[in-house]
Amino acid sequence: YGKGNYRAETDTFDTWFSSGQWPYATLMATGDMDRFYPTSVMETGRDILFLWVTRMIMMGLYRTGKVPFRNIYLHGMVNDEHGKKMSKSKGNVINPLEMTDKYGTDALRLALTIGITPGNDGTLSEKKIEGYRNFCNKLWNVARFILSQLPADYSPTPPEPKSLADRWILEKLHAAIKNVTSDLEKYKFSEAGQRVYSLLWDDFADWYIEANKVEPNLDLLVYGLQTILSLLHPIAPFVTEAVWQKMAWQKDNLIISEWPEAGKAYSKDAKDFERLQALIAEIRNLKSEVGAGELRLVHVKDQLIADNHGLVKKLAGVSEIESVGQGSGLALSSYDAWLDLEPQTIRAYLKRLQDKQQEQASYRDRLKKQLTNSGYIKSAPPVVVAETKDRLAQAEMLLSKLDEQIATIRSD
């Protein structure tokens, strides 16, 4: 056809014919076959399982007699925040280079790891990346605070727990080491990332650092930070390495340091500390709801509260803690303990709860009436009906919580 009477070539291979030879052809070219073939893991998108992965396996067996890899990790497609495929025509593409410039590479890596399961499509938004940038900032600020507490000639020694909070955080750290190690070995990268996220933000920063101010233990602060850096390093290598380099006593880079090993368990102490956490959280919530400042906490000879008097006083923000024969005031749900409030303050708080209860009950009854109306069920779109059912469930849950709060006050 055309000028010169050209004839189209018919003996051609598709692009996957050459790609299918990649595992051994590249190594043959460099002389590394004995060292690297077969390899351990192949990671690729789920959409080319049959186009590429199966061809590599078949061609590897045909040419070498060995499969090129034993484990195959398939990731899903990265969609926009609404689950739609990214495309330039839709204008919903997120440029990874722009995101790394704006929020950092680790933030993007975390956003692409946590919340995404193998083989399933995941969503990505700039807001999600920004959230993990905040997490990286949190890690940096925690590290800066801890390092600022250390003397200039500090050299870490194996930490010895001195307090209940120390034993609790050791239990958390050692459990995280075991679980994150297991997750990574099983390619559960999302679970591993989420565990370290929660360990840093919820346990170490929100609770242990504050408890450590009451009963300082610098070695344990440093041990906790080093453990978190090590566990997070595979997913967020840049910020973790940067913090590691700030530790003058470290001789090697984090990337070649030893992986942490779990030590002694403190499960009973951890449960005791979690009981105190529940108490402190309840006091904080009640202080906010009642609108009171510093209050006196009284309890009926509770040994756990007595043994951790300073911790509870500091973290709960109470002015005084006293053991009494019989308590009075605003009762706490999980202890024989009370916030010592004036009767009129308790009555005012009870009145607010009852008003809220009545308002919520009326709202629940309206939703119930709506859902028992056959006309509404037939005419309303299914998604609207489902939303109404969700609102009813939420209203009933809030009512149940209000009933419990009111019953606690009345039982005093």
Side-chain angles (χ1 to χ4, degrees):
Y1 60 88
K3 186 178 180 180
N5 195 28
Y6 291 104
R7 177 171 59 86
E9 178 59 69
T10 57
D11 295 332
T12 59
F13 292 116
D14 68 17
T15 186
W16 301 105
F17 180 80
S18 57
S19 300
Q21 301 177 72
W22 175 81
Y24 58 82
T26 54
L27 297 175
M28 285 178 175
T30 59
D32 289 324
M33 275 292 288
D34 291 340
R35 185 179 181 189
F36 291 118
Y37 191 94
T39 190
S40 55
V41 182
M42 176 66 200
E43 193 280 345
T44 188
R46 61 162 176 77
D47 56 325
I48 52 176
L49 173 63
F50 296 108
L51 291 171
W52 189 27
V53 177
T54 55
R55 283 170 167 81
M56 286 191 285
I57 292 174
M58 289 188 289
M59 289 186 176
L61 282 169
Y62 176 72
R63 287 300 310 274
T64 71
K66 299 177 182 178
V67 294
F69 32 75
R70 287 290 178 183
N71 296 302
I72 303 162
Y73 183 94
L74 299 176
H75 65 256
M77 300 297 99
V78 181
N79 298 322
D80 70 9
E81 59 185 315
H82 305 293
K84 303 294 184 182
K85 182 179 179 181
M86 292 187 188
S87 70
K88 291 181 180 178
S89 60
K90 293 179 181 177
N92 63 344
V93 173
I94 293 179
N95 187 324
L97 297 180
E98 291 178 2
M99 293 297 101
T100 57
D101 286 342
K102 190 172 182 180
Y103 299 110
T105 303
D106 285 332
L108 179 63
R109 289 170 63 100
L110 287 160
L112 287 169
T113 302
I114 299 176
I116 296 179
T117 55
N120 293 323
D121 294 349
T123 60
L124 182 67
S125 66
E126 184 170 349
K127 186 176 181 181
K128 184 179 181 183
I129 300 169
E130 182 181 10
Y132 286 110
R133 187 275 310 273
N134 297 340
F135 171 72
C136 293
N137 287 345
K138 184 75 169 182
L139 174 61
W140 186 267
N141 290 332
V142 164
R144 184 172 60 179
F145 169 77
I146 292 173
L147 296 179
S148 71
Q149 305 301 305
L150 307 179
D153 59 347
Y154 177 78
S155 179
T157 58
E160 290 293 334
K162 304 174 184 177
S163 66
L164 185 66
D166 288 352
R167 292 187 287 276
W168 167 77
I169 198 62
L170 280 172
E171 173 72 11
K172 287 289 185 179
L173 290 166
H174 293 161
I177 292 170
K178 290 179 183 177
N179 292 327
V180 171
T181 302
S182 175
D183 289 337
L184 293 177
E185 289 173 347
K186 296 175 182 177
Y187 309 104
K188 295 181 178 180
F189 305 120
S190 175
E191 289 90 334
Q194 185 59 57
R195 287 187 201 278
V196 187
Y197 182 100
S198 178
L199 176 66
L200 171 70
W201 203 298
D202 301 333
D203 299 326
F204 197 68
D206 283 359
W207 284 95
Y208 182 66
I209 287 180
E210 296 306 310
N212 196 275
K213 293 175 183 177
V214 179
E215 299 179 81
N217 189 334
L218 291 181
D219 285 331
L220 194 41
L221 271 180
V222 171
Y223 174 76
L225 175 61
Q226 290 182 157
T227 300
I228 290 168
L229 292 174
S230 295
L231 297 180
L232 187 62
H233 187 63
I235 304 173
F238 298 102
V239 66
T240 51
E241 188 70 75
V243 172
W244 192 266
Q245 297 299 323
K246 297 289 184 182
M247 300 175 178
W249 61 87
Q250 297 295 353
K251 302 298 186 242
D252 294 320
N253 292 339
L254 176 55
I255 195 170
I256 59 171
S257 66
E258 290 187 5
W259 188 254
E261 293 185 4
K264 182 179 177 180
Y266 294 94
S267 55
K268 180 183 181 303
D269 296 292
K271 289 178 181 176
D272 285 342
F273 186 82
E274 285 162 8
R275 284 189 63 216
L276 288 180
Q277 281 181 301
L279 173 71
I280 292 164
E282 186 175 6
I283 293 172
R284 288 172 175 174
N285 290 336
L286 285 172
K287 284 176 62 179
S288 174
E289 291 176 11
V290 173
E294 287 195 348
L295 302 172
R296 193 168 71 104
L297 173 67
V298 296
H299 63 91
V300 179
K301 299 178 181 178
D302 189 294
Q303 196 60 45
L304 185 59
I305 295 176
D307 290 344
N308 295 275
H309 177 279
L311 180 72
V312 175
K313 185 177 179 181
K314 171 72 174 177
L315 297 190
V318 294
S319 59
E320 187 181 344
I321 299 177
E322 183 181 348
S323 177
V324 296
Q326 183 175 356
S328 63
L330 187 59
L332 301 173
S333 60
S334 53
Y335 284 84
D336 285 335
W338 295 260
L339 287 178
D340 188 15
L341 293 172
E342 295 293 332
Q344 61 268 28
T345 304
I346 297 176
R347 286 195 294 269
Y349 175 54
L350 178 59
K351 178 67 167 57
R352 288 201 301 274
L353 289 179
Q354 290 171 331
D355 290 344
K356 193 173 182 180
Q357 180 189 46
Q358 186 175 357
E359 179 185 339
Q360 198 66 24
S362 298
Y363 178 59
R364 176 203 58 190
D365 293 342
R366 290 198 303 271
L367 292 174
K368 280 186 173 181
K369 186 175 180 181
Q370 202 172 13
L371 289 171
T372 55
N373 185 332
S374 58
Y376 171 76
I377 298 297
K378 289 179 181 178
S379 60
V383 65
V384 174
V385 176
E387 288 174 357
T388 305
K389 289 180 179 178
D390 288 341
R391 290 199 300 272
L392 175 60
Q394 291 169 7
E396 289 180 333
M397 187 182 303
L398 181 55
L399 267 173
S400 177
K401 183 179 178 181
L402 288 168
D403 290 342
E404 291 175 3
Q405 289 176 302
I406 292 170
T408 300
I409 296 172
R410 285 175 172 169
S411 66
D412 177 26

